[in-house]
Amino acid sequence: MRLHEYQAKQVFADAGIPTPASQLAETVDEAVDAAEEIGYPVAIKAQVHVGGRGKAGGIKLVESKEEAREAAEDIIGMDLKGYHVSKVLVEEAVDFVNELYVGVTMDRGEGRPVAMVSTKGGVNIEEVAEEDPDAIAREHIDPAFGMHPFQARKVVYEAGVDREVANDVASVLTTLYQLWDDRDGADTEINPLMITSDDEVIAADAVMNIDGDALFRQPEIAEMGEEAAEGDELEQKADEYGFDYVRLDGNVGIIGNGAGLVMTTLDLVDYYGGEPANFLDVGGGAKADRIANALDMVFSDDNVDSVVFNIFGGITRGDEVANGINQALEQFDEIPKPVTVRLAGTNAEEGMEILNEDLVTVEHTLEDAVQRAVEYAKEVEA
């Protein structure tokens, strides 16, 4: 479960991490009033679950009442990468001299949480990891003992953070790990963690994703999650249908059964030059109506240009999946997005025979299915 920036900052601030003065606004007048109260310059930031908000016009820096009104009018109600913007965070602008990245996540390869620090903050950290992996310092943590102070200092110094602020950055990182642990986090990060000319550290952005299976012991966070989903039609549908669903920034829709299978499909989409649009796990034992609901969700995402189904039959039967796909697609006079299907496992052959190849493209291997879906998406882009 993902929190909005304003919600994550509230959690961070309550834990003692410095954040800029800010107010949430749902109307233009509320945004202007907040900017006047905070004092200019301020940033007006769309509150949606998507990266690259600034480049897409969802974050604007303003220095007057007139600019604040114009920015709020532009952002509130806009469609930002398929998300409707109903709220903005009006936030004190930070006069910074440097930007860092700090984060905590689970390293599944090592089976342990990992703390990360980089002096290349303020940019897409995934791109940094790919183009210059040595720019990110990492420290694995034994969850039985938590993060020791020396570990926080070690990873901060290894990242090359200036000595004047190193202890403060280490303190923020320690708190970030404690939040990750106490709140059943999947990811917690600050990008950027800004350094001011007075050597103060301020969390200018905040990301906090929570393990959805642990929400029963995080009632306060669960309430935030209900608020975060308001106004987001796809996330509301995911809750209604009972799907594990995460929206991403690409245009290849992905439906699979089992988190590992879906993750493998995401990786292959990336490998073959595409960009995943979502993570959607229909779970085991998916019947025809559940498959139809999954297609309804992916078709509802304006970012999706093609869809790939990757189903391995165990509890889930291939013939049930095929019937669900046929039933869903037969409702349309014209198929809204090209659909590619790969079935394997229980009753896969029967499913292949049931599939209406006038409505879908059938591939016998996952690699072929992913490549075909990526090709379809690129054809739409062209």
Side-chain angles (χ1 to χ4, degrees), residues 227-239:
E227 181 181 342
E230 291 178 4
D232 190 315
E233 181 182 347
L234 287 176
E235 293 193 6
Q236 289 175 351
K237 279 189 175 183
D239 288 340

PDB file of all heavy atoms in Angstrom, residues 227-239:
ATOM      1  N   GLU A 227      -7.816   6.803   2.628  1.00  0.00           N
ATOM      2  CA  GLU A 227      -7.846   8.176   2.135  1.00  0.00           C
ATOM      3  C   GLU A 227      -7.035   8.310   0.861  1.00  0.00           C
ATOM      4  O   GLU A 227      -7.411   9.014  -0.068  1.00  0.00           O
ATOM      5  CB  GLU A 227      -7.303   9.119   3.209  1.00  0.00           C
ATOM      6  CG  GLU A 227      -7.316  10.584   2.815  1.00  0.00           C
ATOM      7  CD  GLU A 227      -6.746  11.479   3.901  1.00  0.00           C
ATOM      8  OE1 GLU A 227      -6.661  11.017   5.059  1.00  0.00           O
ATOM      9  OE2 GLU A 227      -6.391  12.613   3.597  1.00  0.00           O
ATOM     10  N   ALA A 228      -5.897   7.588   0.791  1.00  0.00           N
ATOM     11  CA  ALA A 228      -5.029   7.678  -0.375  1.00  0.00           C
ATOM     12  C   ALA A 228      -5.707   7.150  -1.618  1.00  0.00           C
ATOM     13  O   ALA A 228      -5.442   7.606  -2.735  1.00  0.00           O
ATOM     14  CB  ALA A 228      -3.730   6.906  -0.122  1.00  0.00           C
ATOM     15  N   ALA A 229      -6.588   6.165  -1.448  1.00  0.00           N
ATOM     16  CA  ALA A 229      -7.251   5.566  -2.599  1.00  0.00           C
ATOM     17  C   ALA A 229      -8.424   6.388  -3.106  1.00  0.00           C
ATOM     18  O   ALA A 229      -8.910   6.167  -4.217  1.00  0.00           O
ATOM     19  CB  ALA A 229      -7.738   4.165  -2.243  1.00  0.00           C
ATOM     20  N   GLU A 230      -8.892   7.375  -2.299  1.00  0.00           N
ATOM     21  CA  GLU A 230     -10.020   8.178  -2.725  1.00  0.00           C
ATOM     22  C   GLU A 230      -9.665   8.939  -3.993  1.00  0.00           C
ATOM     23  O   GLU A 230      -8.586   9.519  -4.113  1.00  0.00           O
ATOM     24  CB  GLU A 230     -10.416   9.179  -1.628  1.00  0.00           C
ATOM     25  CG  GLU A 230     -11.020   8.523  -0.402  1.00  0.00           C
ATOM     26  CD  GLU A 230     -11.346   9.534   0.672  1.00  0.00           C
ATOM     27  OE1 GLU A 230     -11.175  10.734   0.415  1.00  0.00           O
ATOM     28  OE2 GLU A 230     -11.758   9.111   1.756  1.00  0.00           O
ATOM     29  N   GLY A 231     -10.576   8.954  -4.941  1.00  0.00           N
ATOM     30  CA  GLY A 231     -10.354   9.699  -6.169  1.00  0.00           C
ATOM     31  C   GLY A 231      -9.554   8.941  -7.193  1.00  0.00           C
ATOM     32  O   GLY A 231      -9.405   9.410  -8.319  1.00  0.00           O
ATOM     33  N   ASP A 232      -9.018   7.794  -6.864  1.00  0.00           N
ATOM     34  CA  ASP A 232      -8.258   6.998  -7.815  1.00  0.00           C
ATOM     35  C   ASP A 232      -9.112   5.799  -8.205  1.00  0.00           C
ATOM     36  O   ASP A 232      -9.238   4.831  -7.471  1.00  0.00           O
ATOM     37  CB  ASP A 232      -6.942   6.541  -7.182  1.00  0.00           C
ATOM     38  CG  ASP A 232      -6.012   5.915  -8.211  1.00  0.00           C
ATOM     39  OD1 ASP A 232      -6.503   5.097  -9.007  1.00  0.00           O
ATOM     40  OD2 ASP A 232      -4.821   6.235  -8.206  1.00  0.00           O
ATOM     41  N   GLU A 233      -9.696   5.889  -9.382  1.00  0.00           N
ATOM     42  CA  GLU A 233     -10.648   4.876  -9.813  1.00  0.00           C
ATOM     43  C   GLU A 233     -10.022   3.491  -9.881  1.00  0.00           C
ATOM     44  O   GLU A 233     -10.639   2.496  -9.479  1.00  0.00           O
ATOM     45  CB  GLU A 233     -11.205   5.261 -11.190  1.00  0.00           C
ATOM     46  CG  GLU A 233     -12.235   4.295 -11.738  1.00  0.00           C
ATOM     47  CD  GLU A 233     -12.728   4.689 -13.107  1.00  0.00           C
ATOM     48  OE1 GLU A 233     -12.447   5.840 -13.522  1.00  0.00           O
ATOM     49  OE2 GLU A 233     -13.370   3.860 -13.764  1.00  0.00           O
ATOM     50  N   LEU A 234      -8.794   3.399 -10.363  1.00  0.00           N
ATOM     51  CA  LEU A 234      -8.162   2.095 -10.516  1.00  0.00           C
ATOM     52  C   LEU A 234      -7.877   1.452  -9.160  1.00  0.00           C
ATOM     53  O   LEU A 234      -8.075   0.252  -8.980  1.00  0.00           O
ATOM     54  CB  LEU A 234      -6.881   2.211 -11.327  1.00  0.00           C
ATOM     55  CG  LEU A 234      -7.083   2.451 -12.827  1.00  0.00           C
ATOM     56  CD1 LEU A 234      -5.734   2.638 -13.517  1.00  0.00           C
ATOM     57  CD2 LEU A 234      -7.838   1.304 -13.461  1.00  0.00           C
ATOM     58  N   GLU A 235      -7.398   2.242  -8.209  1.00  0.00           N
ATOM     59  CA  GLU A 235      -7.098   1.678  -6.900  1.00  0.00           C
ATOM     60  C   GLU A 235      -8.389   1.288  -6.172  1.00  0.00           C
ATOM     61  O   GLU A 235      -8.420   0.309  -5.425  1.00  0.00           O
ATOM     62  CB  GLU A 235      -6.272   2.662  -6.079  1.00  0.00           C
ATOM     63  CG  GLU A 235      -4.876   2.873  -6.674  1.00  0.00           C
ATOM     64  CD  GLU A 235      -3.927   3.578  -5.730  1.00  0.00           C
ATOM     65  OE1 GLU A 235      -4.322   3.802  -4.571  1.00  0.00           O
ATOM     66  OE2 GLU A 235      -2.814   3.893  -6.158  1.00  0.00           O
ATOM     67  N   GLN A 236      -9.458   2.036  -6.409  1.00  0.00           N
ATOM     68  CA  GLN A 236     -10.736   1.659  -5.830  1.00  0.00           C
ATOM     69  C   GLN A 236     -11.231   0.346  -6.440  1.00  0.00           C
ATOM     70  O   GLN A 236     -11.775  -0.515  -5.745  1.00  0.00           O
ATOM     71  CB  GLN A 236     -11.756   2.772  -6.057  1.00  0.00           C
ATOM     72  CG  GLN A 236     -11.493   4.018  -5.210  1.00  0.00           C
ATOM     73  CD  GLN A 236     -12.440   5.148  -5.533  1.00  0.00           C
ATOM     74  OE1 GLN A 236     -13.193   5.087  -6.496  1.00  0.00           O
ATOM     75  NE2 GLN A 236     -12.397   6.197  -4.735  1.00  0.00           N
ATOM     76  N   LYS A 237     -11.033   0.197  -7.754  1.00  0.00           N
ATOM     77  CA  LYS A 237     -11.411  -1.060  -8.397  1.00  0.00           C
ATOM     78  C   LYS A 237     -10.584  -2.219  -7.856  1.00  0.00           C
ATOM     79  O   LYS A 237     -11.093  -3.324  -7.661  1.00  0.00           O
ATOM     80  CB  LYS A 237     -11.215  -0.955  -9.915  1.00  0.00           C
ATOM     81  CG  LYS A 237     -12.339  -0.268 -10.652  1.00  0.00           C
ATOM     82  CD  LYS A 237     -12.170  -0.409 -12.157  1.00  0.00           C
ATOM     83  CE  LYS A 237     -13.354   0.181 -12.899  1.00  0.00           C
ATOM     84  NZ  LYS A 237     -13.233  -0.003 -14.359  1.00  0.00           N
ATOM     85  N   ALA A 238      -9.299  -1.981  -7.636  1.00  0.00           N
ATOM     86  CA  ALA A 238      -8.439  -3.036  -7.106  1.00  0.00           C
ATOM     87  C   ALA A 238      -8.944  -3.506  -5.748  1.00  0.00           C
ATOM     88  O   ALA A 238      -8.982  -4.706  -5.461  1.00  0.00           O
ATOM     89  CB  ALA A 238      -7.000  -2.539  -7.001  1.00  0.00           C
ATOM     90  N   ASP A 239      -9.331  -2.554  -4.901  1.00  0.00           N
ATOM     91  CA  ASP A 239      -9.880  -2.919  -3.593  1.00  0.00           C
ATOM     92  C   ASP A 239     -11.190  -3.687  -3.749  1.00  0.00           C
ATOM     93  O   ASP A 239     -11.438  -4.683  -3.054  1.00  0.00           O
ATOM     94  CB  ASP A 239     -10.120  -1.656  -2.752  1.00  0.00           C
ATOM     95  CG  ASP A 239      -8.827  -1.032  -2.261  1.00  0.00           C
ATOM     96  OD1 ASP A 239      -7.803  -1.749  -2.241  1.00  0.00           O
ATOM     97  OD2 ASP A 239      -8.837   0.162  -1.919  1.00  0.00           O
TER      98      ASP A 239
END
